[in-house]
Amino acid sequence: MPTGTATETRLVLTDDQVRGLAKLGTPLYVIDEGHLRRRIRRYLAAFKSAWPNSELTFASKANSTLAVVKIAYQEGLLIDVASEGELRAALKAGVPASRCHLHGNNKKPGEIRFAIEQGINQIVVDNFEEIELIGGLEGKKPDIMIRLAPGVDPKTHAKISTGQADTKFGFNIADGSGEKALLRCLELGLDVKGYHCHVGSQLLDPEAQVSGGELLAQFATDMKAKHGYETQVINVGGGLGVHYVGDAVPLSVEEYCRQLVASISKALEPSGLRPMLVQEPGRSIIGESGVTLYEVGVVKTVPSPTKGHRVYVAVDGGLSDNPRPVMYGSKYDLVATSGDGRTFGPTRPTTVSGKHCETDMLFEDVMLPEDLRPGDFVQVLVTGAYNSAMASNYNRYQRPGTALVRESGEAVLVQRPESWDEMFAREILPEGL
Ligand code: LLP
């Protein structure tokens, strides 16, 4: 259930911006730099005011375009990387490894070694194999955080629920694995900074993160009482939702941070512990600062057994640049812009499809102008997170570029559209085949 207040925080480009940006080629991801910087500053201020000893980490899996990672770093965020690739992206963006945290439920030994060689700040350990591996390495070791599975079932799509007991992530608290992991790390002389959890993503109701935070605080209290180990850090992961459609509005960051901190600090009170609190949001940092532009190619009316008829508008992208509708049934708001500057007539229910060789229905029954025609544009709102990051080459479509609208208003490409040469660069046709 939505629990937030209807605050309009989403980036929407003007018609003139759309027509100007479309000249860079569509489909096109667009990020607004000022919008992103303001969002980060607001989130940081909200968290600091709720708990001064706090830090924000940007979950770069949401969008690891180098320009985005660099802006997040410039604004004072740590960078959460979940793979060697994401760490390499952060390094290329000019972020020192000493500002990065490495995640992953099955990190390869090579990934762990690479991260340590680069001087990674923290490794969030997820399993006993990893603890033994790090413990056995020679030389300086990074700080360790222990990922815990608090046994919280968030109300979100099953594919993005991670905090429940039956999960591949982390050490279960209730069955004693979390305690064993802590003791083993300490036995190996690892510098354990504290505990981490991430319960799920696109959460409009903060209940799950609040309970996750409380369970970590209780665990910290128990470990102090039983073993004298005093945690210095509690990281409650990301998960705050964004405003995709309708009245499904998340809490404001101010209210979210307030509720989170209130419950964690209450749960910590009896222990006297005052750790640093960390959150690592991805979607709620970058999601609303981005839109995707498409050009309309085909408008078609077909008979429909249920509706009499259905209007299809086919745009020049789809499943390969935004798999989320097909993967999670995600819905988005759309805004149409005429290609020639004319004013649109009334709207009608329209189904927007992509151009892939399957039913990649992007948006069903959205209200779009009845005179929308080839050469017009649609911008899909709130596509800054998990869109360019999840793009593929399905049907051999080139992955779109990303434009950054600078604070001056100038738009620059920060990621070129993929070229044909790049698409085929990895192919090898063996001699004599
Ligand atoms: N920390 C950890 C350990 C995570 O696994 C995640 C997301 C985050 C932080 C950031 O969560 P956020 O604040 O963005 O919700 N592809 C899916 C989302 C998968 C999220 C996975 N983990 C989607 O498109 O909805």
Side-chain angles (χ1 to χ4, degrees):
M1 279 301 289
T3 54
T5 45
T7 48
E8 188 50 77
T9 53
R10 306 178 299 178
L11 170 71
V12 185
L13 299 175
T14 64
D15 288 339
D16 283 344
Q17 279 182 307
V18 169
R19 284 188 281 262
L21 282 157
K23 294 194 180 109
L24 296 171
T26 54
L28 181 70
Y29 302 118
V30 182
I31 301 289
D32 186 282
E33 182 180 352
H35 192 280
L36 173 59
R37 289 189 187 276
R38 286 191 295 280
R39 176 67 180 171
I40 296 174
R41 287 173 198 165
R42 182 173 162 190
Y43 207 141
L44 274 173
F47 200 19
K48 288 261 179 237
S49 103
W51 189 264
N53 182 18
S54 61
E55 292 231 56
L56 276 187
T57 302
F58 173 55
S60 67
K61 72 201 76 187
N63 190 326
S64 59
T65 310
L66 302 192
V68 168
V69 174
K70 183 160 191 182
I71 291 169
Y73 169 63
Q74 284 174 338
E75 291 295 334
L77 304 191
L78 294 155
I79 307 296
D80 149 20
V81 297
S83 66
E84 181 173 333
E86 286 179 4
L87 174 55
R88 285 180 184 271
L91 296 172
K92 278 202 181 298
V95 183
S98 60
R99 296 287 295 168
C100 297
H101 296 166
L102 179 67
H103 273 282
N105 74 303
N106 182 13
K107 306 174 189 78
K108 288 201 164 187
E111 273 181 311
I112 293 179
R113 288 199 192 93
F114 175 76
I116 294 177
E117 271 160 32
Q118 298 300 315
I120 192 97
N121 172 244
Q122 271 181 9
I123 295 191
V124 184
V125 294
D126 201 277
N127 49 69
F128 288 106
E129 288 84 345
E130 212 178 300
I131 293 177
E132 294 307 324
L133 191 136
I134 299 172
L137 292 174
E138 300 290 322
K140 190 173 164 355
K141 312 256 170 57
D143 292 346
I144 299 294
M145 292 286 288
I146 298 178
R147 177 150 182 178
L148 296 169
V152 170
D153 216 345
K155 299 181 195 96
T156 189
H157 195 282
K159 290 200 174 73
I160 47 179
S161 296
T162 46
Q164 65 279 17
D166 183 357
T167 174
K168 68 176 182 176
F169 296 105
F171 298 95
N172 189 285
I173 296 184
D175 78 352
S177 303
E179 180 174 1
K180 278 191 205 133
L182 171 68
L183 295 180
R184 184 63 185 141
C185 286
L186 296 176
E187 201 172 53
L188 288 167
L190 297 175
D191 192 357
V192 180
K193 288 290 171 215
Y195 311 119
H196 173 281
C197 73
H198 170 77
V199 297
S201 202
Q202 183 51 18
L203 304 175
L204 297 176
D205 178 336
E207 190 190 322
Q209 290 112 314
V210 165
S211 335
E214 278 170 0
L215 287 162
L216 257 55
Q218 275 158 23
F219 181 76
T221 306
D222 290 352
M223 293 305 104
K224 183 181 171 193
K226 276 178 87 171
H227 306 293
Y229 171 77
E230 299 196 3
T231 191
Q232 297 166 49
V233 183
I234 287 185
N235 182 336
V236 292
L240 176 62
V242 291
H243 181 191
Y244 282 120
V245 280
D247 62 357
V249 182
L251 282 186
S252 67
V253 276
E254 290 78 12
E255 185 53 22
Y256 176 64
C257 291
R258 202 192 57 70
Q259 290 193 20
L260 198 62
V261 165
S263 59
I264 297 175
S265 58
K266 188 153 177 278
L268 281 172
E269 235 162 58
S271 69
L273 292 166
R274 301 278 296 169
M276 169 186 280
L277 296 186
V278 182
Q279 289 180 54
E280 54 190 18
R283 192 189 319 262
S284 57
I285 292 287
I286 180 69
E288 295 185 358
S289 300
V291 302
T292 307
L293 298 186
Y294 298 100
E295 185 175 336
V296 172
V298 172
V299 181
K300 186 187 273 189
T301 303
V302 302
S304 157
T306 50
K307 298 172 190 292
H309 72 275
R310 186 193 286 276
V311 178
Y312 275 100
V313 164
V315 295
D316 55 351
L319 181 56
S320 59
D321 62 77
N322 185 354
R324 302 193 69 262
V326 174
M327 283 181 79
Y328 315 115
S330 311
K331 299 204 180 326
Y332 292 87
D333 279 336
L334 275 66
V335 180
T337 294
S338 64
D340 56 4
R342 74 190 189 286
T343 308
F344 282 128
T347 56
R348 63 177 170 181
T350 305
T351 293
V352 179
S353 73
K355 54 188 287 186
H356 289 274
C357 297
E358 53 190 272
T359 306
D360 63 339
M361 191 183 282
L362 285 173
F363 318 102
E364 193 179 359
D365 289 340
V366 287
M367 296 305 286
L368 284 175
E370 60 182 16
D371 53 339
L372 195 68
R373 62 185 191 218
D376 291 337
F377 303 104
V378 287
Q379 58 173 308
V380 181
L381 306 188
V382 193
T383 52
Y386 303 113
N387 281 244
S388 74
M390 290 171 67
S392 76
N393 285 127
Y394 180 45
N395 279 152
R396 289 283 191 185
Y397 284 120
Q398 294 149 299
R399 284 172 294 177
T402 299
L404 184 72
V405 179
R406 304 299 314 267
E407 290 181 282
S408 61
E410 184 203 359
V412 288
L413 271 180
V414 291
Q415 193 172 44
R416 279 185 293 99
E418 196 165 28
S419 69
W420 293 119
D421 281 346
E422 283 160 338
M423 182 177 293
F424 294 106
R426 295 181 305 123
E427 305 284 326
I428 301 157
L429 269 179
E431 288 286 321
L433 183 72

Short mmCIF file of all heavy atoms in Angstrom, two decimals, residues 59 61 80 103 147 160 196 198 200-202 238-240 280-283 324 328 386 390, ligand 1:
data_model
loop_
_atom_site.label_atom_id
_atom_site.label_comp_id
_atom_site.label_asym_id
_atom_site.label_seq_id
_atom_site.Cartn_x
_atom_site.Cartn_y
_atom_site.Cartn_z
N ALA A 59 24.34 2.56 -4.74
CA ALA A 59 24.37 1.20 -5.30
C ALA A 59 24.50 1.33 -6.82
O ALA A 59 23.51 1.54 -7.53
CB ALA A 59 23.09 0.45 -4.92
N LYS A 61 24.86 -0.61 -9.16
CA LYS A 61 24.16 -1.54 -10.07
C LYS A 61 22.97 -0.84 -10.72
O LYS A 61 22.54 -1.23 -11.79
CB LYS A 61 23.71 -2.79 -9.31
CG LYS A 61 22.56 -2.58 -8.35
CD LYS A 61 22.50 -3.66 -7.28
CE LYS A 61 23.57 -3.41 -6.25
NZ LYS A 61 23.69 -4.47 -5.27
N ASP A 80 28.82 1.51 -3.88
CA ASP A 80 28.64 0.07 -3.69
C ASP A 80 28.81 -0.60 -5.05
O ASP A 80 28.13 -0.24 -6.01
CB ASP A 80 27.25 -0.16 -3.08
CG ASP A 80 26.58 -1.48 -3.47
OD1 ASP A 80 27.27 -2.42 -3.90
OD2 ASP A 80 25.35 -1.56 -3.32
N HIS A 103 30.24 -6.05 -2.89
CA HIS A 103 29.16 -6.99 -2.56
C HIS A 103 29.22 -8.19 -3.47
O HIS A 103 29.96 -8.20 -4.43
CB HIS A 103 27.82 -6.31 -2.81
CG HIS A 103 27.31 -5.53 -1.66
ND1 HIS A 103 26.73 -6.12 -0.58
CD2 HIS A 103 27.30 -4.21 -1.43
CE1 HIS A 103 26.37 -5.18 0.28
NE2 HIS A 103 26.71 -4.01 -0.21
N ARG A 147 27.14 -9.65 5.88
CA ARG A 147 25.78 -9.53 5.38
C ARG A 147 24.87 -10.52 6.09
O ARG A 147 25.11 -11.73 6.09
CB ARG A 147 25.71 -9.79 3.87
CG ARG A 147 24.27 -9.74 3.40
CD ARG A 147 24.10 -9.30 2.01
NE ARG A 147 22.69 -9.24 1.66
CZ ARG A 147 22.24 -8.84 0.50
NH1 ARG A 147 23.08 -8.47 -0.43
NH2 ARG A 147 20.95 -8.80 0.25
N ILE A 160 12.78 -9.25 -6.55
CA ILE A 160 13.63 -8.24 -5.89
C ILE A 160 13.43 -8.26 -4.36
O ILE A 160 13.69 -7.29 -3.67
CB ILE A 160 13.45 -6.82 -6.50
CG1 ILE A 160 11.98 -6.44 -6.66
CG2 ILE A 160 14.14 -6.74 -7.84
CD1 ILE A 160 11.75 -5.04 -7.23
N HIS A 196 25.43 -5.79 7.85
CA HIS A 196 24.74 -5.26 6.68
C HIS A 196 23.50 -6.10 6.40
O HIS A 196 23.49 -7.31 6.63
CB HIS A 196 25.69 -5.34 5.48
CG HIS A 196 25.04 -4.98 4.18
ND1 HIS A 196 24.24 -5.85 3.48
CD2 HIS A 196 25.06 -3.84 3.47
CE1 HIS A 196 23.79 -5.24 2.39
NE2 HIS A 196 24.28 -4.03 2.36
N HIS A 198 20.11 -6.09 3.25
CA HIS A 198 19.34 -5.40 2.20
C HIS A 198 18.11 -6.26 2.00
O HIS A 198 18.22 -7.40 1.55
CB HIS A 198 20.17 -5.29 0.91
CG HIS A 198 19.35 -4.82 -0.26
ND1 HIS A 198 18.99 -3.50 -0.43
CD2 HIS A 198 18.78 -5.51 -1.29
CE1 HIS A 198 18.24 -3.39 -1.51
NE2 HIS A 198 18.10 -4.58 -2.04
N GLY A 200 15.13 -5.70 0.22
CA GLY A 200 14.37 -5.73 -1.02
C GLY A 200 14.41 -4.38 -1.70
O GLY A 200 15.01 -3.44 -1.19
N SER A 201 13.75 -4.31 -2.84
CA SER A 201 13.86 -3.12 -3.68
C SER A 201 12.48 -2.61 -4.08
O SER A 201 11.51 -3.37 -4.08
CB SER A 201 14.67 -3.51 -4.92
OG SER A 201 15.25 -2.42 -5.52
N GLN A 202 12.41 -1.33 -4.44
CA GLN A 202 11.15 -0.67 -4.80
C GLN A 202 10.10 -0.85 -3.69
O GLN A 202 8.98 -1.30 -3.91
CB GLN A 202 10.64 -1.16 -6.18
CG GLN A 202 9.37 -0.49 -6.70
CD GLN A 202 9.40 1.04 -6.68
OE1 GLN A 202 10.46 1.65 -6.58
NE2 GLN A 202 8.26 1.68 -6.74
N GLY A 238 19.65 -0.70 0.57
CA GLY A 238 18.84 0.29 -0.16
C GLY A 238 17.38 -0.11 -0.09
O GLY A 238 16.95 -0.66 0.92
N GLY A 239 16.65 0.16 -1.15
CA GLY A 239 15.29 -0.35 -1.23
C GLY A 239 14.18 0.67 -1.29
O GLY A 239 13.07 0.34 -1.71
N LEU A 240 14.46 1.92 -0.90
CA LEU A 240 13.38 2.92 -0.95
C LEU A 240 12.87 3.02 -2.40
O LEU A 240 13.66 3.14 -3.33
CB LEU A 240 13.91 4.27 -0.45
CG LEU A 240 12.93 5.45 -0.53
CD1 LEU A 240 11.69 5.22 0.33
CD2 LEU A 240 13.62 6.75 -0.11
N GLU A 280 22.43 2.20 1.44
CA GLU A 280 23.03 2.15 0.10
C GLU A 280 21.95 2.10 -0.98
O GLU A 280 21.75 1.10 -1.64
CB GLU A 280 24.03 1.00 -0.04
CG GLU A 280 23.50 -0.34 0.30
CD GLU A 280 24.58 -1.41 0.38
OE1 GLU A 280 25.77 -1.09 0.50
OE2 GLU A 280 24.19 -2.58 0.32
N PRO A 281 21.27 3.22 -1.16
CA PRO A 281 20.21 3.26 -2.17
C PRO A 281 20.76 3.35 -3.59
O PRO A 281 21.81 3.95 -3.82
CB PRO A 281 19.45 4.55 -1.82
CG PRO A 281 20.45 5.40 -1.11
CD PRO A 281 21.43 4.48 -0.45
N GLY A 282 20.03 2.75 -4.53
CA GLY A 282 20.38 2.89 -5.94
C GLY A 282 19.24 3.59 -6.65
O GLY A 282 19.34 4.74 -7.08
N ARG A 283 18.10 2.89 -6.71
CA ARG A 283 16.94 3.40 -7.45
C ARG A 283 16.49 4.78 -6.97
O ARG A 283 16.21 5.67 -7.76
CB ARG A 283 15.78 2.41 -7.29
CG ARG A 283 14.63 2.67 -8.22
CD ARG A 283 13.43 1.79 -7.85
NE ARG A 283 13.76 0.45 -7.49
CZ ARG A 283 13.68 -0.60 -8.31
NH1 ARG A 283 13.26 -0.46 -9.55
NH2 ARG A 283 14.00 -1.80 -7.88
N ARG A 324 12.24 -4.25 -17.81
CA ARG A 324 11.50 -4.28 -16.54
C ARG A 324 10.00 -4.60 -16.70
O ARG A 324 9.46 -5.35 -15.90
CB ARG A 324 11.72 -2.99 -15.74
CG ARG A 324 13.20 -2.73 -15.44
CD ARG A 324 13.43 -1.64 -14.40
NE ARG A 324 13.01 -2.08 -13.09
CZ ARG A 324 11.86 -1.78 -12.54
NH1 ARG A 324 11.02 -1.00 -13.15
NH2 ARG A 324 11.54 -2.25 -11.36
N TYR A 328 9.22 -7.73 -14.52
CA TYR A 328 8.56 -7.49 -13.22
C TYR A 328 7.13 -6.96 -13.38
O TYR A 328 6.52 -6.58 -12.39
CB TYR A 328 9.33 -6.45 -12.40
CG TYR A 328 10.83 -6.63 -12.36
CD1 TYR A 328 11.67 -5.67 -12.93
CD2 TYR A 328 11.41 -7.73 -11.73
CE1 TYR A 328 13.05 -5.81 -12.89
CE2 TYR A 328 12.79 -7.87 -11.69
CZ TYR A 328 13.60 -6.92 -12.27
OH TYR A 328 14.96 -7.05 -12.23
N TYR A 386 18.21 0.93 -13.31
CA TYR A 386 17.97 -0.43 -13.80
C TYR A 386 17.40 -0.43 -15.23
O TYR A 386 16.59 -1.28 -15.57
CB TYR A 386 17.05 -1.20 -12.85
CG TYR A 386 17.59 -1.28 -11.44
CD1 TYR A 386 16.96 -0.65 -10.38
CD2 TYR A 386 18.78 -1.97 -11.18
CE1 TYR A 386 17.47 -0.70 -9.09
CE2 TYR A 386 19.29 -2.04 -9.90
CZ TYR A 386 18.64 -1.39 -8.86
OH TYR A 386 19.15 -1.45 -7.59
N MET A 390 20.59 -2.60 -17.39
CA MET A 390 20.08 -3.94 -17.74
C MET A 390 19.87 -4.10 -19.24
O MET A 390 19.24 -5.07 -19.68
CB MET A 390 18.78 -4.21 -16.97
CG MET A 390 19.03 -4.40 -15.48
SD MET A 390 17.54 -4.45 -14.48
CE MET A 390 16.79 -5.96 -15.00
N1 LLP B 1 22.38 -2.98 -1.76
C1 LLP B 1 22.30 -4.25 -2.16
C2 LLP B 1 23.11 -5.27 -1.51
C3 LLP B 1 21.44 -4.61 -3.21
O1 LLP B 1 21.36 -5.88 -3.59
C4 LLP B 1 20.67 -3.60 -3.86
C5 LLP B 1 19.78 -3.94 -4.97
C6 LLP B 1 20.81 -2.27 -3.42
C7 LLP B 1 21.66 -2.00 -2.36
C8 LLP B 1 20.09 -1.13 -4.04
O2 LLP B 1 18.70 -1.29 -3.97
P1 LLP B 1 17.73 -0.12 -4.45
O3 LLP B 1 17.91 1.06 -3.53
O4 LLP B 1 18.10 0.23 -5.85
O5 LLP B 1 16.38 -0.71 -4.35
N2 LLP B 1 16.81 -5.11 -11.30
C9 LLP B 1 15.80 -4.82 -10.31
C10 LLP B 1 16.40 -4.31 -9.01
C11 LLP B 1 17.34 -5.27 -8.36
C12 LLP B 1 17.91 -4.72 -7.08
C13 LLP B 1 18.96 -5.61 -6.57
N3 LLP B 1 19.65 -5.13 -5.42
C14 LLP B 1 14.80 -3.83 -10.87
O6 LLP B 1 14.94 -3.41 -12.01
O7 LLP B 1 13.83 -3.50 -10.19
#
